[in-house]
C-alpha cells in the first residue's frame, strides 16, 4: 500500500498497483518535492521526479555513476567484478576510454547500414506467425528481433541465442531495487556461465577474426594498452545485455501503447512518415529505463536543496518524461509531439550508446507490424508488467490480428 503521512511517502514490494502503473505515484512524489528525500523499497536517497532537476543533475559531473553492488560485499564476487569493468558504472578517465573503443560501431551512419538486414528479420518473424492469427509480441517478435540484431553486431552465433533470454532477464534483476538475495545468487551464477561463454568465443575470434565487435575489440586490445581482458569480457556482456533488454521493452511498450490508443494508431497507419516522431513519443510515454542512479561526490546545492557528499540520487526518468512543467498534457499520447526532448536515453557523457540502433529497430518493427497485420488487438486489456522499479518491461504481450 502507498501511504502519505506528513509529506512522506512509502512504497512496498507488494504494491502491485505501482508496478502496473507507476505514474500516479510519481505525481505524488513530485507534488511533495521534485527532489524528494525518502527511503523507497529500502533504498534511502534523493528521488528526483522533476524534468529540469533530472536534467541539471545529468549535466553535472559532480554526480558520479556508481557500482550497483556495495564494494565491501564479499558475496557475488563474479557479478561484482564484471560490473566493475562496465563503462556504464564508470567515471572519467576509464569511462571515456572504454566508450571510445566501441563508439564507432553504433554511430547513426554505421547503424543505417543495418536497415535492410533489420527489415528482412522483421519480415521473417512476422511471416512466421501470420497463419496463427495471434502472437506474443515479446517472445515471438521483439525478443528474437533484438537478439538477432545485437548478436550479429557483437559476433554471437545465431544457434546460441536461445540461452540469452534467461541470462538477460536474470542479470537485469541484479541491478534493480527489487532484487533479492536469490536474484543476486542467480546473477552471480549466470555471470560465471556468460564469462565462460564469451571467453571461448573470444578465443575462437582470435583464431579467425570476423567483422564483428568482438574481433574489433580484440584488435584494439592487441594493438595498444587500451583494454584489459576483463574489460573486453565486460564490454561484450554489457552490449549484449543492453541490446536485448531495453530494445525489447521499447518495442513491446510501443505496441501496447498503440493498441490502447486506437485513434493514434489510425493516425500512424495513415501517415507512415510520422514513425520517427511516434517512436520518440513512445520513448517518452513508457520509457523503458525508468531510473538512473548517481552518487554526489561533494556537497551540492540543486534548486535550494542541499545534497550531501556520498548521498545516493535516483533519477526517475519515467517521471521526468511525464512532468507537465516540461510537456504539455504530459499524460496524453501525442504522436505528433514536437519538440519532444525526453530523457529516455539519459543525457550527457553516459547518453545511451545504442540509441541510434534502438530507434531504427523500433521504427522498422512498429511500422512493419502495422502494415502487415490487419486489425491487431490486445487479448488482455491490462497485460502484466515485470516487478521492476528501474525498467518498464512487460512479462508478455499476447495479441490477435487478421
Ligand atoms: C541496441 C540497443 C542498446 C544498446 C546496445 C545500448 C547500450 C548502452 C550502453 C553501452 C550504455 C552505456 C553508455 C555509457 O556509459 O557511456 C547505455 C546507456 C544507456 N542506455 Fe542504452 N542501449 C540500447 C538501448 C537502449 C534503450 C532502448 C534504452 C531506453 C530507452 C536505453 C537507455 C539507456 C540509458 C538511459 C543509458 C544511460 C545510463 C546512465 O547514464 O547511467 N538503451 N546504453
Amino acid at each position: 500500500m502507498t501511504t502519505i503521512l506528513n509529506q512522506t511517502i512509502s512504497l512496498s514490494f507488494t504494491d502491485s498497483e505501482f508496478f502496473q502503473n507507476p505514474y500516479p505515484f510519481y505525481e505524488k512524489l513530485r507534488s511533495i518535492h521534485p527532489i524528494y528525500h525518502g527511503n523507497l523499497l529500502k533504498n534511502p536517497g534523493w528521488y528526483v521526479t522533476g524534468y529540469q532537476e533530472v536534467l541539471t543533475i545529468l549535466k553535472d559531473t559532480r554526480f558520479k555513476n556508481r557500482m550497483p553492488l556495495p564494494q565491501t560485499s564479499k558475496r557475488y564476487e563474479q557479478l561484482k567484478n564484471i560490473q566493475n569493468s562496465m563503462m556504464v558504472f564508470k567515471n572519467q578517465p576509464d569511462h571515456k576510454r572504454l566508450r571510445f573503443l566501441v563508439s564507432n560501431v553504433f554511430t547513426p551512419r554505421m547503424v543505417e547500414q543495418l536497415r535492410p538486414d533489420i527489415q528482412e528479420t522483421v519480415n521473417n518473424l512476422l511471416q512466421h506467425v501470420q497463419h496463427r492469427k495471434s502472437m506474443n509480441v515479446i517472445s515471438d517478435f521483439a525478443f528474437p528481433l533484438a537478439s538477432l540484431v545485437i548478436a550479429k553486431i557483437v559476433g554471437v552465433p545465431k544457434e546460441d541465442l536461445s540461452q540469452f533470454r534467461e541470462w538477460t532477464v536474470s542479470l537485469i534483476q541484479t541491478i534493480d531495487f527489487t532484487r533479492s538475495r536469490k536474484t543476486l545468487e542467480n546473477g552471480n551464477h549466470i555471470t560465471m556461465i556468460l564469462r565462460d561463454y564469451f571467453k571461448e568465443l573470444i578465443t575462437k575470434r582470435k583464431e579467425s577474426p570476423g567483422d564483428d565487435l568482438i574481433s574489433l575489440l580484440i584488435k584494439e586490445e592487441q594493438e595498444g594498452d587500451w583494454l584489459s581482458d576483463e574489460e573486453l569480457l565486460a564490454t561484450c556482456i554489457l552490449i549484449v545485455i543492453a541490446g536485448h533488454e531495453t530494445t525489447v521493452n521499447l518495442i513491446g511498450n510501443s505496441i501496447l501503447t498503440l493498441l490502447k490508443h486506437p485513434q493514434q494508431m489510425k493516425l500512424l497507419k495513415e501517415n507512415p512518415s510520422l514513425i520517427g516522431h511516434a517512436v520518440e513519443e513512445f520513448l517518452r510515454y513508457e520509457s523503458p529505463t525508468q531510473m538512473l542512479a548517481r552518487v554526489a561526490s561533494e556537497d551540492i546545492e540543486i534548486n535550494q536543496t542541499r545534497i550531501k557528499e556520498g548521498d545516493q540520487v535516483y533519477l526517475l526518468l519515467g517521471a521526468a518524461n511525464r512532468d507537465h512543467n516540461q510537456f504539455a498534457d504530459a499524460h496524453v499520447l501525442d504522436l505528433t509531439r514536437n519538440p519532444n526532448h525526453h530523457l529516455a536515453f539519459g543525457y550527457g557523457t553516459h547518453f545511451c550508446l545504442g540509441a541510434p540502433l534502438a530507434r531504427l529497430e523500433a521504427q522498422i518493427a512498429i511500422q512493419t507490424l502495422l502494415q502487415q497485420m490487419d486489425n491487431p488487438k490486445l487479448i488482455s486489456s491490462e497485460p502484466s508488467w515485470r516487478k521492476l522499479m528501474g525498467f518498464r518491461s512487460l512479462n508478455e504481450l499476447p495479441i490477435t490480428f487478421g
Side-chain angles (χ1 to χ4, degrees):
M1 269 295 289
T2 303
T3 48
I4 311 178
L5 281 171
N6 299 331
Q7 302 288 294
T8 63
I9 191 164
S10 69
L11 182 67
S12 89
F13 290 98
T14 53
D15 205 339
S16 50
E17 232 173 86
F18 169 80
F19 294 104
Q20 281 300 105
N21 176 15
Y23 303 106
F25 183 79
Y26 294 159
E27 285 297 319
K28 278 183 209 159
L29 272 186
R30 199 188 309 105
S31 70
I32 299 174
H33 203 285
I35 309 181
Y36 168 85
H37 194 268
N39 187 354
L40 300 184
L41 301 179
K42 299 188 183 151
N43 288 270
W46 298 94
Y47 288 82
V48 190
T49 49
Y51 178 94
Q52 280 308 330
E53 290 79 0
V54 169
L55 186 59
T56 304
I57 292 171
L58 284 172
K59 281 178 177 171
D60 189 333
T61 51
R62 293 174 299 169
F63 290 98
K64 304 286 183 199
N65 284 38
R66 85 313 183 257
M67 282 282 299
L69 280 172
Q71 289 304 286
T72 47
S73 146
K74 286 268 173 279
R75 282 208 196 106
Y76 327 119
E77 211 55 25
Q78 299 282 340
L79 189 60
K80 205 169 71 183
N81 289 346
I82 209 77
Q83 288 177 345
N84 250 331
S85 295
M86 289 181 178
M87 73 178 90
V88 68
F89 304 124
K90 293 238 177 220
N91 294 295
Q92 306 316 1
D94 286 337
H95 172 254
K96 199 170 172 186
R97 173 176 57 84
L98 290 171
R99 185 168 167 121
F100 177 74
L101 293 173
V102 285
S103 54
N104 272 345
V105 178
F106 291 99
T107 58
R109 200 172 56 86
M110 288 298 282
V111 165
E112 189 53 40
Q113 293 176 12
L114 299 169
R115 183 182 284 276
D117 227 52
I118 297 175
Q119 184 68 64
E120 195 189 331
T121 309
V122 165
N123 291 345
N124 289 340
L125 290 167
L126 291 179
Q127 200 181 14
H128 203 73
V129 293
Q130 267 296 352
H131 69 284
R132 277 205 253 146
K133 303 292 175 211
S134 71
M135 71 164 155
N136 179 342
V137 174
I138 305 299
S139 55
D140 291 327
F141 186 49
F143 191 86
L145 171 64
S147 192
L148 284 162
V149 173
I150 202 68
K152 181 145 193 222
I153 295 175
V154 175
V156 170
K158 259 193 213 168
E159 313 79 79
D160 298 346
L161 287 179
S162 55
Q163 312 158 75
F164 275 84
R165 178 97 205 252
E166 189 204 329
W167 292 347
T168 50
V169 166
S170 300
L171 284 189
I172 280 298
Q173 282 169 347
T174 68
I175 58 169
D176 198 79
F177 273 13
T178 54
R179 67 191 178 194
S180 62
R181 184 176 287 185
K182 200 160 156 250
T183 316
L184 287 168
E185 274 164 13
N186 190 35
N188 200 50
H189 174 69
I190 302 251
T191 308
M192 281 195 272
I193 300 176
L194 269 169
R195 205 180 252 284
D196 290 344
Y197 176 83
F198 275 105
K199 266 191 189 157
E200 205 177 305
L201 196 54
I202 289 167
T203 309
K204 279 191 202 154
R205 291 285 176 274
K206 277 187 180 160
E207 285 158 10
S208 58
D211 60 356
D212 48 63
L213 183 67
I214 297 183
S215 305
L216 174 84
L217 289 173
I218 292 171
K219 201 162 151 250
E220 281 168 337
E221 189 191 22
Q222 287 167 345
E223 280 176 0
D225 211 0
W226 286 101
L227 189 68
S228 67
D229 282 352
E230 187 70 8
E231 286 169 343
L232 200 165
L233 261 178
T235 305
C236 293
I237 295 176
L238 170 66
I239 302 283
V240 170
I241 302 296
H244 272 91
E245 178 67 25
T246 42
T247 311
V248 176
N249 297 338
L250 172 56
I251 296 170
N253 300 357
S254 303
I255 307 270
L256 172 65
T257 303
L258 263 185
L259 294 175
K260 283 174 141 187
H261 295 84
Q263 287 305 322
Q264 292 285 301
M265 184 158 81
K266 187 164 174 276
L267 180 75
L268 182 57
K269 212 172 164 168
E270 286 168 3
N271 301 276
S273 65
L274 267 184
I275 190 66
H277 286 298
V279 168
E280 297 313 301
E281 180 67 346
F282 298 135
L283 280 159
R284 181 193 76 81
Y285 189 81
E286 287 288 14
S287 308
T289 304
Q290 290 275 307
M291 189 173 85
L292 299 178
R294 297 289 190 265
V295 60
S297 64
E298 54 185 89
D299 291 357
I300 304 166
E301 195 163 313
I302 303 278
N303 296 358
Q304 290 152 22
T305 301
R306 200 168 172 70
I307 299 177
K308 291 222 182 76
E309 179 182 348
D311 282 358
Q312 301 295 320
V313 180
Y314 300 109
L315 307 170
L316 294 164
L317 301 181
N321 285 339
R322 297 263 195 130
D323 182 350
H324 54 87
N325 290 318
Q326 173 67 20
F327 300 100
D329 299 321
H331 293 294
V332 172
L333 179 81
D334 173 6
L335 301 187
T336 64
R337 193 180 287 275
N338 189 18
N340 186 351
H341 300 299
H342 64 74
L343 299 172
F345 288 122
Y347 191 93
T349 49
H350 285 267
F351 180 82
C352 175
L353 195 67
L357 179 62
R359 283 182 162 128
L360 186 67
E361 281 185 58
Q363 288 175 12
I364 297 175
I366 297 160
Q367 187 130 57
T368 312
L369 190 141
L370 278 191
Q371 281 162 2
Q372 297 188 4
M373 304 315 210
D374 282 336
N375 202 13
K377 280 203 170 76
L378 288 173
I379 291 182
S380 149
S381 62
E382 203 40 74
S384 80
W385 295 89
R386 273 158 75 194
K387 212 173 151 189
L388 298 169
M389 181 148 181
F391 302 90
R392 191 89 176 120
S393 172
L394 287 163
N395 281 311
E396 46 182 34
L397 181 58
I399 64 165
T400 58
F401 48 82

